[in-house]
Amino acid sequence: MPEASFADLDFKRHLKLDLFPTIWCPGCGIGTIMIELAMVLDEMGMDETNTIIVTGIGCTGRMGSYLKYESVYTLHGRTLPVAEAIKAVRPEMHVVVVAGDGDTASIGGNHLIHAIRRNASLTVLCNNNEIYGLTGGQTGPTTPTGTKTLSSPAGNPNTPINLQGLVRSSPHALYAKTTVYHQLHMRNAIREAIEHDGFSFVDITSQCIENNGRRIGFASANDMLNFYRKTYKRAARDAEHLNPFEIGILTPRTADAGTTNGNGSGVTSTPERPAALPEQPTGPMASATASPGASGATGAALPATDDEKARRRAESQDRAAVMAQLSPEVKLAVAKQELTLTDALTQAGIPIPEWLRTGASAPSGAPVAPGDVQISATGQDPHTEQQPTELDAQKGEAAAEERDPREAKRAEAQRKLSLMQRLPSDVKLRVAKGEMTLADALREAGIDPESVG
């Protein structure tokens, strides 16, 4: 791409200049990335009719607001699935993702892995400032080991994520490394990434002077740019790997396109599989919770014996005969499990068969099946639940008064309120504080509590 003077370029028509100056901090590298992207899009004839910008949460996510393109501001880490969805619906559109290293490689790391694996036809521009800038300067996924940040004042103990290794794990993906200082190289990298038919990733080292640079010893954003100028060198044109502090564009490894997911990868061009896979069980799962046993969890269920089949048929016939004695309305209630069969028979005055008396649904008062009585696991009297409780007594008292227990409580509360209204204000306060009872307060006021209905 030939060098062009800033004044001769027509990229400004793609920017919302009425919103300038931008919200980014003075010296931030995101503005430079936006200008270079606008230049490339203008040179390639890409505008709002054929290009969509997808941004995420973070400082970089603001870029969509300043570009005159259709843009989507996604949830944190969700730029890639949204971009893939857009590309799936509108495959003729160019989809460019612009996001920070935290958005892309941390919370969005899982989406990044699978977008690379699927070779999604997307262009990702990663503003890699090695920090969480928007939230104040916490350690991010690309923060170098030993760097002192807001959340690692003693130095980051972790190893930064290897974006180059992640992208290059696919033989179809394009990876480029550049910096905001090397602007011509950045434009070349962005252009090649957009032209690539498949997944492309441009890793752009950028300065965050406010929440990273000054903490690690830089006096200004210009000092950081000079550091990039002196430190980063161009890799050889035919390089297969970029060393630390090298910039370059790594095209897909077409010779390795047949590699596999690790089964012989790098050794054979086809997946290595055993001659024959173990025979798989057939049929529905017998039980999801039962012990697998010799036949495995998906083994076929044991066939029922003739005696078992005969017992089931007899029980079904007996149940049908009993149900036939009930009215259609009751039958429907039993079928909907609104009423047990034993209760339905009891209400209808029909004798309960013996086979219903010994089950869990046996009604109270049904004879217990012969056998030894088993003590409950708690060691308590198994008939304790049959003894009257305080709640039962309250319910009985309320029933005797022919009113609900809540009605009784409401009536008592209203009675107390009417009594309190007859007391002086200072006495009411003492009762409210619990210094004296309501009965004592009434007596003190010359009122007989029992005389008040």
Side-chain angles (χ1 to χ4, degrees):
M1 180 185 298
E3 187 70 74
S5 65
F6 192 86
D8 295 338
L9 297 174
D10 193 29
F11 72 92
K12 290 183 180 180
R13 64 191 179 91
H14 298 293
L15 301 176
K16 298 177 183 177
L17 297 176
D18 55 314
L19 298 180
F20 280 43
T22 67
I23 198 173
W24 297 309
C25 302
C28 176
I30 302 175
T32 304
I33 298 173
M34 180 178 67
I35 297 299
E36 301 304 320
L37 172 62
M39 288 181 178
V40 174
L41 295 178
D42 182 67
E43 291 166 359
M44 297 180 68
M46 296 168 61
D47 55 27
E48 62 274 11
T49 65
N50 56 25
T51 305
I52 297 176
I53 308 293
V54 180
T55 64
I57 301 299
C59 296
T60 315
R62 306 281 188 172
M63 190 182 295
S65 303
Y66 298 114
L67 291 168
K68 289 183 180 179
Y69 288 85
E70 293 291 337
S71 64
V72 181
Y73 185 56
T74 68
L75 297 173
H76 198 193
R78 305 298 183 251
T79 53
L80 288 171
V82 171
E84 283 194 71
I86 295 171
K87 190 68 177 178
V89 176
R90 298 291 301 276
E92 77 281 5
M93 301 292 285
H94 298 284
V95 182
V96 179
V97 176
V98 188
D101 54 306
D103 199 323
T104 303
S106 183
I107 190 172
N110 187 54
H111 297 306
L112 175 62
I113 291 171
H114 294 289
I116 295 169
R117 177 179 64 83
R118 289 188 288 263
N119 193 31
S121 187
L122 307 173
T123 301
V124 180
L125 307 184
C126 178
N127 169 44
N128 188 351
N129 53 23
E130 301 179 345
I131 202 74
Y132 279 116
L134 182 66
T135 53
Q138 294 86 1
T139 302
T142 59
T143 303
T145 305
T147 302
K148 294 182 179 181
T149 71
L150 196 66
S151 59
S152 60
N156 178 27
N158 303 314
T159 303
I161 194 168
N162 183 355
L163 289 173
Q164 177 184 179
L166 199 60
V167 177
R168 296 286 283 172
S169 65
S170 167
H172 308 286
L174 179 145
Y175 174 83
K177 178 69 177 179
T178 188
T179 79
V180 290
Y181 174 81
H182 302 84
Q183 295 179 20
L184 179 59
H185 184 268
M186 188 197 304
R187 292 205 297 276
N188 283 328
I190 295 174
R191 186 182 189 102
E192 284 203 35
I194 293 174
E195 291 175 342
H196 174 64
D197 185 19
F199 186 85
S200 56
F201 190 95
V202 183
D203 185 358
I204 307 172
T205 296
S206 173
Q207 76 275 17
C208 174
I209 183 62
E210 294 297 332
N211 287 320
N212 185 37
R214 289 195 175 92
R215 286 197 180 100
I216 58 179
F218 291 99
S220 66
N222 187 59
D223 284 351
M224 297 188 78
L225 289 172
N226 278 323
F227 172 78
Y228 300 155
R229 177 180 64 84
K230 296 176 182 178
T231 308
Y232 283 87
K233 306 299 179 186
R234 292 176 184 260
R237 184 177 296 274
D238 58 348
E240 289 292 324
H241 177 82
L242 298 179
N243 295 319
F245 301 107
E246 279 189 342
I247 59 174
I249 302 172
L250 303 180
T251 56
R253 306 186 303 275
T254 54
D256 298 335
T259 56
T260 69
N261 62 352
N263 297 324
S265 177
V267 180
T268 61
S269 59
T270 57
E272 292 182 351
R273 285 186 176 274
L277 294 174
E279 185 177 352
Q280 302 297 308
T282 59
M285 182 178 290
S287 171
T289 57
S291 174
S295 61
T298 57
L302 296 175
T305 62
D306 292 340
D307 290 343
E308 178 67 15
K309 291 178 181 178
R311 186 192 65 77
R312 291 178 183 175
R313 280 196 299 271
E315 184 176 311
S316 178
Q317 291 170 358
D318 291 342
R319 186 177 183 86
V322 171
M323 288 283 285
Q325 303 178 55
L326 300 173
S327 64
E329 296 80 5
V330 178
K331 286 181 186 177
L332 183 60
V334 173
K336 290 183 176 180
Q337 297 183 348
E338 298 172 354
L339 189 66
T340 64
L341 180 57
T342 51
D343 289 339
L345 294 173
T346 302
Q347 292 176 11
I350 301 172
I352 300 173
E354 184 63 30
W355 55 272
L356 269 178
R357 289 183 172 273
T358 57
S361 60
S364 56
V368 181
D372 295 334
V373 176
Q374 295 183 358
I375 303 300
S376 67
T378 59
Q380 297 178 351
D381 181 0
H383 298 289
T384 300
E385 68 276 4
Q386 299 177 6
Q387 299 175 3
T389 62
E390 184 179 352
L391 179 60
D392 293 330
Q394 292 176 359
K395 288 181 178 179
E397 183 180 347
E401 297 179 0
E402 296 183 351
R403 62 184 182 186
D404 187 87
R406 288 174 296 183
E407 282 286 336
K409 289 183 179 179
R410 280 196 292 267
E412 180 62 22
Q414 290 172 357
R415 176 176 174 274
K416 289 183 177 180
L417 182 60
S418 65
L419 291 174
M420 288 282 284
Q421 296 299 328
R422 304 178 63 177
L423 297 174
S425 300
D426 57 333
V427 179
K428 287 181 188 178
L429 183 60
R430 293 177 61 191
V431 173
K433 288 182 177 181
E435 296 176 356
M436 63 188 308
T437 64
L438 178 58
D440 291 341
L442 291 171
R443 291 191 190 97
E444 187 176 299
I447 303 171
D448 184 7
E450 301 299 329
S451 65
V452 181

